[in-house]
Amino acid sequence: MRGAGALGALAATGEAQVTAAKVKRPNIIFIMADDLGYADLSCTGSHHIRTPAIDSIAAQGIQLRQGYANSSICSPTRTALLTGCYQYRFAIGIEEPLGPAAPEGIGVPLDRPTIASVMRAIGYRTKLIGKWHLGEPPKHSPLHHGYDEFFGIVEGAADYFRHHMVMGGKDVGIGLAQGDTPIERNGYLTNLFGDEAVKTIEQAGDTPFFMSLHFNAPHWPWEGREDAAVAPTLGASFHYNGGSLAKYKEMVEAMDQNVAKLLAALERSGKADDTIVIFTSDNGGERFSETWPFTGVKGELLEGGIRVPLLMRWPGRIAPGSTSDQVMISMDFLPTLLAMAGGSVAKAGTFDGMDLSAQLTGKAAPTTRALYWRYKGNGQAALRDGDWKYLKLGGKEHLFNLAQDERERADHVTDDPARLKAMRLQWDSWNAQMLPYPLGSYSEDVQDHYADRY
């Protein structure tokens, strides 16, 4: 049985089919990596990783240097991406990340419009491949939040060969699933997700499709495609005693090669010119990642924890080789892609995200905006308003001009007290509109696992 949000979309099916017949809508493929740092692609400055397929999305489209994740950790960003709103409006969005100690049955409200349900309402076939991490079936599976199909992992991580989270040497959780049903399948997860994406493209007919391809790569455990023998030896998926720069390179390049398969399938099927392709990450990099020139990592509101690659191509609409200074964040994708697909954002619902379709297609200049973050671990808060950023981290306040100092080293906290006070009050006013953190809610602390933090 589908949730209320899905039922609302189904009620519009007849109208959607009529509309789809009249309007040529682009296919949309939204690719999201897991814990990929800003500089982990060749096109964003990696020192050792080569990603020609992902780079080609930028070469054939647009690259935004000021792309952000809604959070510095995974499930809150995925909440914002799904809903088009600040994740702090929902109980699930203030679990940092969603874990076994979260309230039972937690998830995005079933009557909430989602990036998938608004697409389905205008005639798209919707599918999620890869990581979900937004609640458990049957109540909160992707099928109850606007997706027609799901093939992927339910929890926040999985061994690349065992396809489950590993705790105490044992497989736990649901693991790999098809729809709401756990399944067994042999293979390296990154390859399985890439193969499923190719199959989806090849089997698509004339109905436009919206495909979310959420790789778990390059999230731990640190396993490349030739490391099947490592999987049985792991006591826990966190793999704190494993990994290396070389292994991380293998994992990212395996993901790139699967993106290459997907792009080749678009060409073979004749769909390349009619398909929008997006690539980004759910938060900043972890452990073996590069975030240069930014500081900070996953779990921090420094730029390295929230600034992510953001690439998009749309042949004939986005000029090849474009770059933009537009500031864009995860929750913007719902209104932006809906507008690109010819849908009405105003009719779809109320969102915190902004429709930036005109900026991405070169029809409008970049627009200035204010964006807000918070993170329970280490008492963090951040506000970016134009070029200025207010940051609270580890009990200390900071003030940076990102246009002059994107590395967050030149601190204006003492020489501009009036701006500091104004931005603090601005953040407080926004924060009062969001849900408070429950006393028992989880927030991952990077100080527990990094030798160089604080």
Side-chain angles (χ1 to χ4, degrees), residues 152-155 157-166 171-177 183-190 192 223:
I153 56 172
V154 173
E155 288 83 18
D159 186 275
Y160 287 82
F161 297 94
R162 295 165 70 167
H163 306 163
H164 282 264
M165 185 79 173
V166 179
D171 293 348
V172 297
I174 294 169
L176 190 63
I183 61 170
E184 296 292 333
R185 189 78 58 85
N186 291 325
Y188 186 68
L189 271 182
T190 306
L192 291 181
E223 296 170 337

mmCIF file of all heavy atoms in Angstrom, residues 152-155 157-166 171-177 183-190 192 223:
data_model
loop_
_atom_site.group_PDB
_atom_site.id
_atom_site.type_symbol
_atom_site.label_atom_id
_atom_site.label_comp_id
_atom_site.label_asym_id
_atom_site.label_seq_id
_atom_site.Cartn_x
_atom_site.Cartn_y
_atom_site.Cartn_z
ATOM 1 N N GLY A 152 18.205 -0.882 -3.831
ATOM 2 C CA GLY A 152 19.331 -0.288 -3.121
ATOM 3 C C GLY A 152 19.419 -0.734 -1.686
ATOM 4 O O GLY A 152 18.869 -1.774 -1.297
ATOM 5 N N ILE A 153 20.115 0.062 -0.879
ATOM 6 C CA ILE A 153 20.312 -0.249 0.532
ATOM 7 C C ILE A 153 19.474 0.710 1.374
ATOM 8 O O ILE A 153 19.387 1.898 1.085
ATOM 9 C CB ILE A 153 21.800 -0.193 0.942
ATOM 10 C CG1 ILE A 153 22.431 1.162 0.605
ATOM 11 C CG2 ILE A 153 22.566 -1.340 0.288
ATOM 12 C CD1 ILE A 153 23.836 1.353 1.166
ATOM 13 N N VAL A 154 18.867 0.160 2.397
ATOM 14 C CA VAL A 154 17.958 0.934 3.241
ATOM 15 C C VAL A 154 18.727 1.734 4.284
ATOM 16 O O VAL A 154 18.424 2.902 4.541
ATOM 17 C CB VAL A 154 16.947 -0.006 3.925
ATOM 18 C CG1 VAL A 154 16.100 0.757 4.936
ATOM 19 C CG2 VAL A 154 16.068 -0.678 2.878
ATOM 20 N N GLU A 155 19.734 1.122 4.906
ATOM 21 C CA GLU A 155 20.459 1.766 5.992
ATOM 22 C C GLU A 155 21.493 2.767 5.474
ATOM 23 O O GLU A 155 21.686 2.920 4.265
ATOM 24 C CB GLU A 155 21.132 0.720 6.878
ATOM 25 C CG GLU A 155 20.166 -0.077 7.739
ATOM 26 C CD GLU A 155 19.527 -1.249 7.008
ATOM 27 O OE1 GLU A 155 20.067 -1.658 5.976
ATOM 28 O OE2 GLU A 155 18.481 -1.747 7.470
ATOM 29 N N ALA A 157 24.744 2.678 5.536
ATOM 30 C CA ALA A 157 25.975 2.128 4.955
ATOM 31 C C ALA A 157 25.779 0.639 4.726
ATOM 32 O O ALA A 157 24.845 0.030 5.261
ATOM 33 C CB ALA A 157 27.175 2.359 5.874
ATOM 34 N N ALA A 158 26.669 0.061 3.932
ATOM 35 C CA ALA A 158 26.644 -1.387 3.706
ATOM 36 C C ALA A 158 28.010 -1.820 3.215
ATOM 37 O O ALA A 158 28.697 -1.075 2.503
ATOM 38 C CB ALA A 158 25.577 -1.775 2.690
ATOM 39 N N ASP A 159 28.382 -3.027 3.601
ATOM 40 C CA ASP A 159 29.591 -3.613 3.046
ATOM 41 C C ASP A 159 29.394 -3.786 1.539
ATOM 42 O O ASP A 159 28.307 -4.158 1.089
ATOM 43 C CB ASP A 159 29.852 -4.970 3.703
ATOM 44 C CG ASP A 159 31.181 -5.569 3.276
ATOM 45 O OD1 ASP A 159 31.203 -6.231 2.207
ATOM 46 O OD2 ASP A 159 32.176 -5.361 3.970
ATOM 47 N N TYR A 160 30.442 -3.525 0.770
ATOM 48 C CA TYR A 160 30.315 -3.543 -0.692
ATOM 49 C C TYR A 160 30.097 -4.943 -1.255
ATOM 50 O O TYR A 160 29.632 -5.092 -2.388
ATOM 51 C CB TYR A 160 31.554 -2.906 -1.326
ATOM 52 C CG TYR A 160 31.578 -1.408 -1.165
ATOM 53 C CD1 TYR A 160 32.020 -0.817 0.013
ATOM 54 C CD2 TYR A 160 31.131 -0.561 -2.177
ATOM 55 C CE1 TYR A 160 32.029 0.561 0.183
ATOM 56 C CE2 TYR A 160 31.128 0.814 -2.028
ATOM 57 C CZ TYR A 160 31.577 1.369 -0.844
ATOM 58 O OH TYR A 160 31.566 2.729 -0.674
ATOM 59 N N PHE A 161 30.395 -5.970 -0.449
ATOM 60 C CA PHE A 161 30.209 -7.354 -0.907
ATOM 61 C C PHE A 161 29.134 -8.091 -0.105
ATOM 62 O O PHE A 161 28.386 -8.898 -0.663
ATOM 63 C CB PHE A 161 31.529 -8.123 -0.815
ATOM 64 C CG PHE A 161 32.604 -7.562 -1.701
ATOM 65 C CD1 PHE A 161 33.523 -6.637 -1.212
ATOM 66 C CD2 PHE A 161 32.682 -7.929 -3.036
ATOM 67 C CE1 PHE A 161 34.508 -6.104 -2.040
ATOM 68 C CE2 PHE A 161 33.651 -7.399 -3.868
ATOM 69 C CZ PHE A 161 34.572 -6.475 -3.370
ATOM 70 N N ARG A 162 29.028 -7.806 1.183
ATOM 71 C CA ARG A 162 28.026 -8.458 2.019
ATOM 72 C C ARG A 162 26.665 -7.765 1.893
ATOM 73 O O ARG A 162 25.640 -8.343 2.229
ATOM 74 C CB ARG A 162 28.493 -8.460 3.480
ATOM 75 C CG ARG A 162 29.747 -9.298 3.668
ATOM 76 C CD ARG A 162 30.461 -9.044 4.992
ATOM 77 N NE ARG A 162 29.729 -9.541 6.156
ATOM 78 C CZ ARG A 162 30.269 -9.662 7.366
ATOM 79 N NH1 ARG A 162 31.551 -9.316 7.540
ATOM 80 N NH2 ARG A 162 29.554 -10.109 8.380
ATOM 81 N N HIS A 163 26.680 -6.507 1.474
ATOM 82 C CA HIS A 163 25.462 -5.731 1.202
ATOM 83 C C HIS A 163 24.634 -5.447 2.448
ATOM 84 O O HIS A 163 23.447 -5.119 2.349
ATOM 85 C CB HIS A 163 24.589 -6.413 0.138
ATOM 86 C CG HIS A 163 25.320 -6.716 -1.123
ATOM 87 N ND1 HIS A 163 24.856 -7.606 -2.063
ATOM 88 C CD2 HIS A 163 26.501 -6.251 -1.625
ATOM 89 C CE1 HIS A 163 25.708 -7.673 -3.073
ATOM 90 N NE2 HIS A 163 26.719 -6.862 -2.833
ATOM 91 N N HIS A 164 25.241 -5.545 3.595
ATOM 92 C CA HIS A 164 24.626 -5.212 4.873
ATOM 93 C C HIS A 164 25.595 -4.350 5.670
ATOM 94 O O HIS A 164 26.817 -4.386 5.462
ATOM 95 C CB HIS A 164 24.344 -6.475 5.710
ATOM 96 C CG HIS A 164 23.137 -7.245 5.291
ATOM 97 N ND1 HIS A 164 21.909 -7.095 5.885
ATOM 98 C CD2 HIS A 164 22.979 -8.180 4.336
ATOM 99 C CE1 HIS A 164 21.038 -7.908 5.322
ATOM 100 N NE2 HIS A 164 21.666 -8.590 4.371
ATOM 101 N N MET A 165 25.064 -3.593 6.609
ATOM 102 C CA MET A 165 25.887 -3.010 7.642
ATOM 103 C C MET A 165 26.412 -4.152 8.510
ATOM 104 O O MET A 165 25.689 -5.131 8.763
ATOM 105 C CB MET A 165 25.039 -2.047 8.498
ATOM 106 C CG MET A 165 25.816 -1.279 9.530
ATOM 107 S SD MET A 165 26.683 0.121 8.795
ATOM 108 C CE MET A 165 27.287 0.910 10.304
ATOM 109 N N VAL A 166 27.673 -4.037 8.949
ATOM 110 C CA VAL A 166 28.277 -5.086 9.773
ATOM 111 C C VAL A 166 28.562 -4.519 11.165
ATOM 112 O O VAL A 166 29.200 -3.467 11.301
ATOM 113 C CB VAL A 166 29.583 -5.606 9.145
ATOM 114 C CG1 VAL A 166 30.216 -6.685 10.025
ATOM 115 C CG2 VAL A 166 29.329 -6.145 7.738
ATOM 116 N N ASP A 171 26.101 -9.431 10.008
ATOM 117 C CA ASP A 171 25.263 -8.588 9.152
ATOM 118 C C ASP A 171 24.037 -8.144 9.946
ATOM 119 O O ASP A 171 23.389 -8.957 10.605
ATOM 120 C CB ASP A 171 24.790 -9.365 7.921
ATOM 121 C CG ASP A 171 25.923 -9.717 6.974
ATOM 122 O OD1 ASP A 171 27.029 -9.162 7.150
ATOM 123 O OD2 ASP A 171 25.708 -10.541 6.063
ATOM 124 N N VAL A 172 23.716 -6.846 9.863
ATOM 125 C CA VAL A 172 22.546 -6.330 10.564
ATOM 126 C C VAL A 172 21.698 -5.510 9.595
ATOM 127 O O VAL A 172 22.159 -5.069 8.546
ATOM 128 C CB VAL A 172 22.952 -5.456 11.776
ATOM 129 C CG1 VAL A 172 23.716 -6.280 12.801
ATOM 130 C CG2 VAL A 172 23.770 -4.252 11.344
ATOM 131 N N GLY A 173 20.443 -5.299 9.955
ATOM 132 C CA GLY A 173 19.560 -4.471 9.152
ATOM 133 C C GLY A 173 18.998 -5.208 7.951
ATOM 134 O O GLY A 173 19.173 -6.415 7.774
ATOM 135 N N ILE A 174 18.330 -4.447 7.112
ATOM 136 C CA ILE A 174 17.663 -5.002 5.933
ATOM 137 C C ILE A 174 18.649 -5.255 4.807
ATOM 138 O O ILE A 174 18.565 -6.229 4.077
ATOM 139 C CB ILE A 174 16.547 -4.039 5.475
ATOM 140 C CG1 ILE A 174 15.453 -3.995 6.544
ATOM 141 C CG2 ILE A 174 15.971 -4.458 4.126
ATOM 142 C CD1 ILE A 174 14.444 -2.893 6.339
ATOM 143 N N GLY A 175 19.606 -4.335 4.629
ATOM 144 C CA GLY A 175 20.582 -4.499 3.563
ATOM 145 C C GLY A 175 19.987 -4.196 2.199
ATOM 146 O O GLY A 175 19.135 -3.332 2.038
ATOM 147 N N LEU A 176 20.446 -4.929 1.205
ATOM 148 C CA LEU A 176 20.008 -4.704 -0.171
ATOM 149 C C LEU A 176 18.549 -5.106 -0.339
ATOM 150 O O LEU A 176 18.124 -6.157 0.130
ATOM 151 C CB LEU A 176 20.892 -5.517 -1.122
ATOM 152 C CG LEU A 176 20.748 -5.246 -2.624
ATOM 153 C CD1 LEU A 176 21.148 -3.814 -2.970
ATOM 154 C CD2 LEU A 176 21.598 -6.234 -3.420
ATOM 155 N N ALA A 177 17.799 -4.241 -1.034
ATOM 156 C CA ALA A 177 16.366 -4.506 -1.202
ATOM 157 C C ALA A 177 15.915 -4.154 -2.606
ATOM 158 O O ALA A 177 16.495 -3.297 -3.287
ATOM 159 C CB ALA A 177 15.560 -3.701 -0.184
ATOM 160 N N ILE A 183 16.742 -8.667 -0.706
ATOM 161 C CA ILE A 183 17.125 -9.611 -1.755
ATOM 162 C C ILE A 183 18.594 -9.985 -1.598
ATOM 163 O O ILE A 183 19.368 -9.280 -0.942
ATOM 164 C CB ILE A 183 16.895 -9.037 -3.169
ATOM 165 C CG1 ILE A 183 17.738 -7.767 -3.392
ATOM 166 C CG2 ILE A 183 15.429 -8.771 -3.417
ATOM 167 C CD1 ILE A 183 17.759 -7.286 -4.829
ATOM 168 N N GLU A 184 18.971 -11.073 -2.222
ATOM 169 C CA GLU A 184 20.361 -11.508 -2.293
ATOM 170 C C GLU A 184 20.858 -11.294 -3.721
ATOM 171 O O GLU A 184 20.167 -11.637 -4.685
ATOM 172 C CB GLU A 184 20.486 -12.989 -1.917
ATOM 173 C CG GLU A 184 20.098 -13.301 -0.480
ATOM 174 C CD GLU A 184 21.057 -12.719 0.536
ATOM 175 O OE1 GLU A 184 22.252 -12.522 0.187
ATOM 176 O OE2 GLU A 184 20.623 -12.440 1.670
ATOM 177 N N ARG A 185 22.026 -10.728 -3.851
ATOM 178 C CA ARG A 185 22.611 -10.477 -5.170
ATOM 179 C C ARG A 185 24.128 -10.476 -5.014
ATOM 180 O O ARG A 185 24.649 -9.848 -4.079
ATOM 181 C CB ARG A 185 22.130 -9.126 -5.695
ATOM 182 C CG ARG A 185 22.472 -8.816 -7.141
ATOM 183 C CD ARG A 185 21.557 -9.525 -8.107
ATOM 184 N NE ARG A 185 20.142 -9.226 -7.947
ATOM 185 C CZ ARG A 185 19.512 -8.179 -8.504
ATOM 186 N NH1 ARG A 185 20.188 -7.310 -9.243
ATOM 187 N NH2 ARG A 185 18.218 -8.029 -8.337
ATOM 188 N N ASN A 186 24.851 -11.121 -5.865
ATOM 189 C CA ASN A 186 26.301 -11.142 -5.789
ATOM 190 C C ASN A 186 26.881 -9.933 -6.527
ATOM 191 O O ASN A 186 26.339 -9.508 -7.550
ATOM 192 C CB ASN A 186 26.859 -12.430 -6.413
ATOM 193 C CG ASN A 186 26.529 -13.659 -5.596
ATOM 194 O OD1 ASN A 186 26.482 -13.606 -4.367
ATOM 195 N ND2 ASN A 186 26.287 -14.781 -6.269
ATOM 196 N N GLY A 187 27.976 -9.422 -6.004
ATOM 197 C CA GLY A 187 28.661 -8.357 -6.709
ATOM 198 C C GLY A 187 29.030 -7.178 -5.833
ATOM 199 O O GLY A 187 28.598 -7.060 -4.673
ATOM 200 N N TYR A 188 29.853 -6.309 -6.393
ATOM 201 C CA TYR A 188 30.330 -5.091 -5.744
ATOM 202 C C TYR A 188 29.233 -4.038 -5.874
ATOM 203 O O TYR A 188 28.733 -3.770 -6.974
ATOM 204 C CB TYR A 188 31.614 -4.654 -6.449
ATOM 205 C CG TYR A 188 32.335 -3.483 -5.836
ATOM 206 C CD1 TYR A 188 32.948 -3.584 -4.596
ATOM 207 C CD2 TYR A 188 32.447 -2.276 -6.539
ATOM 208 C CE1 TYR A 188 33.655 -2.516 -4.054
ATOM 209 C CE2 TYR A 188 33.148 -1.205 -6.013
ATOM 210 C CZ TYR A 188 33.748 -1.329 -4.764
ATOM 211 O OH TYR A 188 34.453 -0.252 -4.235
ATOM 212 N N LEU A 189 28.843 -3.427 -4.776
ATOM 213 C CA LEU A 189 27.660 -2.567 -4.780
ATOM 214 C C LEU A 189 27.720 -1.450 -5.816
ATOM 215 O O LEU A 189 26.730 -1.159 -6.487
ATOM 216 C CB LEU A 189 27.442 -1.962 -3.390
ATOM 217 C CG LEU A 189 26.591 -2.760 -2.405
ATOM 218 C CD1 LEU A 189 26.440 -1.990 -1.093
ATOM 219 C CD2 LEU A 189 25.231 -3.103 -2.978
ATOM 220 N N THR A 190 28.875 -0.815 -5.949
ATOM 221 C CA THR A 190 28.981 0.274 -6.918
ATOM 222 C C THR A 190 28.648 -0.227 -8.322
ATOM 223 O O THR A 190 27.949 0.448 -9.086
ATOM 224 C CB THR A 190 30.390 0.888 -6.890
ATOM 225 O OG1 THR A 190 30.704 1.274 -5.541
ATOM 226 C CG2 THR A 190 30.481 2.110 -7.792
ATOM 227 N N LEU A 192 26.787 -2.933 -9.005
ATOM 228 C CA LEU A 192 25.375 -3.319 -9.048
ATOM 229 C C LEU A 192 24.482 -2.105 -9.288
ATOM 230 O O LEU A 192 23.527 -2.166 -10.064
ATOM 231 C CB LEU A 192 24.974 -4.000 -7.737
ATOM 232 C CG LEU A 192 25.576 -5.382 -7.461
ATOM 233 C CD1 LEU A 192 25.063 -5.919 -6.131
ATOM 234 C CD2 LEU A 192 25.249 -6.361 -8.579
ATOM 235 N N GLU A 223 36.723 -0.665 0.703
ATOM 236 C CA GLU A 223 36.847 -1.860 -0.123
ATOM 237 C C GLU A 223 36.770 -1.488 -1.599
ATOM 238 O O GLU A 223 35.823 -0.828 -2.030
ATOM 239 C CB GLU A 223 35.712 -2.850 0.189
ATOM 240 C CG GLU A 223 35.744 -3.391 1.611
ATOM 241 C CD GLU A 223 34.486 -4.170 1.955
ATOM 242 O OE1 GLU A 223 33.440 -3.950 1.304
ATOM 243 O OE2 GLU A 223 34.541 -4.984 2.892
#
